[in-house]
């Protein structure tokens, strides 16, 4: 049975199971819902149970869990999740697709949008004969860095296991700022862990070569490279989704709204907001202690997002001594906090979502990158856009010097305004929305003209016109 005409076509969304990936993909799913598609959000059970009850009732995204063999007692580290994605989840996703097509007809699932960090699902889409589009939740510069891995190996910058062959700063790509060889995205943990992560990225790269499109959670002309090379996959900047889609998506953790009432009592621009994100392991007990001592010594007002399990590094009696000017919460409604008039600065790990939310709120950044793509993001924040400063430690002198620099830079506020306009102004939003609509129209056209998967399809009649999109 073929899918009946007029029935809403289904797009499956498969994120990597972590907050920084789930949030932008939920916003993307909402955008396609508004284009008339039926959107099905597929996550492992442990993610589904955290978000399903919090998805807004008016948001008709369907959240569907699949087994992953990860239960409440399982670690949630990178390699445990990788094993689940590669060995446990593919068969369950195939069965879900089969059920959808059995219930609604062949061709009901018109596309699968796959987070590139969950590249296992690309193979499932290929086996099931479903068009797949990649989703890159981070900065395009990092995506280009991953694409450049084969060139880095050939040129001798890295070994065939990803190990840097030269120490110090290197320009890995034209038009990008210098990056230390120790700051490549896969260089996390022990030597064996680094090799395993590099293998993960090379596998992701190989799988992504089968894609026609990558939808990127970044803005057109991100780094003044107009991406004139239109080799597949074609990259469509559709972000930042924190601005394009205004729907409030669910957090994986309970947000402590009391910090907003606390902020209401503080002076404008007097508070430092501190958060090192949701996925990367905490900065460690010694650095938690160092930052706590710095905050206490400097006497600055602050909100610090610090999970209960990470608080063992706090000095004895710290919370009581700073209770008059500091608030510690396990998780915060970050966008609302950043937009608050009392917040003047943001001490951040430079995750991409956090960086874009800071730009949207026009807050000056104190950058302390920890791992992964955060070093690339930090380099753009500090060296290219100049809307923040990098601190090399979390001691009193480090934090004090960082604050002094962002306060004394009288032009940083103006640069933040220009950055906001460049990324989220009317023209930027128009371009990103046009890219989304062009892709949605392409999918709708495929459904009108017939099956997307017949060998004799006339692709010239249905391909996206690259002149209509903003790269």
């Amino acid at each position: 049975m073929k899918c009946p005409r007029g029935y809403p076509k289904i797009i499956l969304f498969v994120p990597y199971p972590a907050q920084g990936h789930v949030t932008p993909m939920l916003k993307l799913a909402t955008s396609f819902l508004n284009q008339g598609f039926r959107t099905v959000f597929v996550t492992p059970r442990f993610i589904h149970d955290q978000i399903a009850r919090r998805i807004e009732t008016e948001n008709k995204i369907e959240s569907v869990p699949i087994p992953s063999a990860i239960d409440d007692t399982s670690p949630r580290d990178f390699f445990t999740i990788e094993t689940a994605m590669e060995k446990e989840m593919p068969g369950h996703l195939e069965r879900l697709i089969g059920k959808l097509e059995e219930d609604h007809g062949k061709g009901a699932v018109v596309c699968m949008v796959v987070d590139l960090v969950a590249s296992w699902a690309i193979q499932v889409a290929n086996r099931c004969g479903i068009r797949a589009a990649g989703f890159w939740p981070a900065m395009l510069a990092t995506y280009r860095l991953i694409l450049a891995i084969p060139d880095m190996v050939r040129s001798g910058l890295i070994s065939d296991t990803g190990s840097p062959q030269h120490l110090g700063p290197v320009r890995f790509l034209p038009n990008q700022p210098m990056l230390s060889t120790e700051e490549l995205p896969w260089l996390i943990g022990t030597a064996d862990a680094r090799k395993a992560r590099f293998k993960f990225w090379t596998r992701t790269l190989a799988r992504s070569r089968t894609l026609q499109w990558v939808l990127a959670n970044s803005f057109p002309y991100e780094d003044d490279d107009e991406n004139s090379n239109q080799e597949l996959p074609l990259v469509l900047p559709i972000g930042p989704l924190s601005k394009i889609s205004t729907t409030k998506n669910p957090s994986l953790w309970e947000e402590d709204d009391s910090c907003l009432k606390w902020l209401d009592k503080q002076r404008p621009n007097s508070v430092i907001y501190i958060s090192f994100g949701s996925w990367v392991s905490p900065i460690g007990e010694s650095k938690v202690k160092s930052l706590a001592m710095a905050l206490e010594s400097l006497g600055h007002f602050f909100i610090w997002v610090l999970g209960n399990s990470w608080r063992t590094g706090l000095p004895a009696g710290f919370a009581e001594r700073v209770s008059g000017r500091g608030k510690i919460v396990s998780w915060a409604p970050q966008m609302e906090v950043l937009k608050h008039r009392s917040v003047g600065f943001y001490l951040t790990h430079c995750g991409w979502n956090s960086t874009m939310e800071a730009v949207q709120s026009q807050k000056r950044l104190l950058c302390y990158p920890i791992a992964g793509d955060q070093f690339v993001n930090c380099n753009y924040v500090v060296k290219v856009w100049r809307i923040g400063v990098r601190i090399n430690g979390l001691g009193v002198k480090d934090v004090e010097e960082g604050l002094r620099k962002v306060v004394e830079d009288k032009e940083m506020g103006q640069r933040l305004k220009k950055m906001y306009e460049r990324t989220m102004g009317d023209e930027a939003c128009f371009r990103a929305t046009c890219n989304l609509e062009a892709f949605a129209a392409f999918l709708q056209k495929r459904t009108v003209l017939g099956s997307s998967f017949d060998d004799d399809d006339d692709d010239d009649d249905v391909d996206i016109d690259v002149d209509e999109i903003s790269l």
Side-chain angles (χ1 to χ4, degrees), residues 1 59 80 104 174 210 237 392 418:
M1 181 184 76
N59 190 333
T80 300
H104 305 293
T210 66
N392 295 318
K418 289 181 179 179

Side-chain angles (χ1 to χ4, degrees), residues 81-153:
I81 291 175
E82 181 189 20
T83 299
M85 292 193 301
E86 294 296 327
K87 296 183 177 180
E88 299 290 339
M89 296 169 65
H92 295 292
L93 180 56
E94 286 192 46
R95 284 188 281 277
L96 172 62
I97 293 168
K99 184 68 166 60
L100 288 170
E101 296 208 324
E102 178 184 330
D103 292 346
H104 305 293
K106 186 172 176 57
V109 180
V110 70
C111 184
M112 187 189 300
V113 179
V114 178
D115 189 323
L116 291 186
V117 191
S119 65
W120 64 273
I122 297 173
Q123 292 185 305
V124 174
N126 291 342
R127 285 196 296 269
C128 294
I130 293 173
R131 292 272 185 179
F135 175 64
W136 185 250
M139 189 179 189
L140 264 177
T142 310
Y143 174 70
R144 294 189 184 114
L145 193 64
I146 299 300
L147 289 181
I149 283 175
D151 290 335
M152 292 186 215
V153 174

Side-chain angles (χ1 to χ4, degrees), residues 187-325:
L187 298 180
I188 303 172
T190 65
D192 286 343
R194 291 178 172 205
K195 290 178 182 178
R197 287 175 182 271
F198 182 72
K199 183 178 179 180
F200 172 90
W201 281 115
T202 55
R203 184 174 62 229
T204 296
L205 181 58
R207 290 171 177 172
S208 70
R209 298 294 189 193
T210 66
L211 299 171
Q212 279 191 271
W213 325 275
V214 170
L215 309 177
N217 183 24
S218 194
F219 50 94
Y221 312 119
E222 172 195 285
D223 59 358
D224 298 322
D225 180 354
E226 297 194 14
N227 195 22
S228 58
N229 184 354
Q230 293 171 359
E231 294 180 0
L232 293 179
L234 179 64
V235 177
L236 302 180
I238 55 159
L241 288 162
S242 60
K243 174 67 175 180
I244 302 302
S245 174
T246 57
T247 301
K248 180 177 173 59
N249 291 127
S251 168
L252 300 187
W253 297 278
E254 200 68 42
E255 295 174 340
D256 187 343
D257 293 331
S258 67
C259 57
L260 299 176
K261 295 180 181 179
W262 184 86
L263 282 170
D264 289 339
K265 302 175 183 178
Q266 313 310 325
R267 291 178 290 106
N269 298 316
S270 65
V271 176
I272 305 173
Y273 174 60
I274 304 163
S275 176
F276 296 107
S278 60
W279 176 237
V280 176
S281 295
I283 53 180
E285 287 189 13
S286 63
K287 290 181 180 177
V288 166
K289 181 178 181 179
S290 179
L291 178 55
M293 293 173 65
L295 292 170
E296 186 171 2
S297 175
L298 293 172
H300 215 292
F301 284 69
F302 66 89
I303 289 180
W304 189 355
V305 177
L306 192 65
N308 290 327
S309 61
W310 302 352
R311 297 183 189 180
T312 53
L314 293 175
F318 170 77
E320 293 75 16
R321 291 194 299 274
V322 300
S323 60
R325 53 184 173 80

Side-chain angles (χ1 to χ4, degrees), residues 46 68-76:
F46 73 92
S68 65
I70 296 177
D71 58 26
D72 291 341
T73 64
S74 304
R76 304 290 168 83

